[in-house]
Amino acid sequence: MRAERGGKHISGAERLLGVDELEQAAVEMLQRAVQHSRGRAEQIFFHVDAVARDQLLTARLLDLHHYQPPDWQQGRELARRMLLSSGISQPAVDRALRDLA
């Protein structure tokens, strides 16, 4: 679903569903479009494509970890160490942290 107001995107949603779930999902997306915090949509587009089960690729999600360093400097240093240990090059890490700052 894509919802627009004044020609600008205000809301969107995608789902992979079985045929028996389409009606409920369409109702939920319609409600989202007309009750959005950015305003009521003036145009709402729905698009449904059939997808064969053998076209779907599933994978395990990455592990999620939460860190709370005591200050931003230690947070940046932690991010630097983690990026480097995951194989990202030193120049790429330096540039990314510089760009974020």
Side-chain angles (χ1 to χ4, degrees):
M1 180 275 296
R2 177 181 170 88
E4 297 179 357
R5 180 179 177 85
K8 295 189 182 212
H9 173 86
I10 63 168
S11 180
E14 295 179 358
R15 305 280 189 281
L16 281 174
L17 305 166
V19 172
D20 58 323
E21 301 169 293
L22 287 175
E23 183 177 352
Q24 180 62 37
V27 168
E28 290 170 5
M29 290 182 195
L30 178 63
Q31 289 172 340
R32 175 181 172 149
V34 298
Q35 298 172 357
H36 202 277
S37 62
R38 294 184 189 153
R40 181 177 291 226
E42 297 171 338
Q43 292 183 303
I44 304 167
F45 305 92
F46 285 90
H47 188 89
V48 179
D49 293 313
V51 178
R53 186 167 294 279
D54 64 349
Q55 290 179 290
L56 299 177
L57 175 65
T58 59
R60 184 177 173 273
L61 293 174
L62 297 174
D63 292 331
L64 179 66
H65 299 278
H66 182 80
Y67 300 93
Q68 285 191 286
D71 56 46
W72 67 269
Q73 293 96 339
Q74 290 182 43
R76 291 236 177 108
E77 183 53 36
L78 175 62
R80 175 184 304 285
R81 286 195 314 268
M82 292 174 76
L83 291 167
L84 289 168
S85 71
S86 69
I88 298 173
S89 72
Q90 181 76 51
V93 171
D94 291 342
R95 176 154 185 193
L97 291 174
R98 185 179 63 247
D99 289 349
L100 285 171

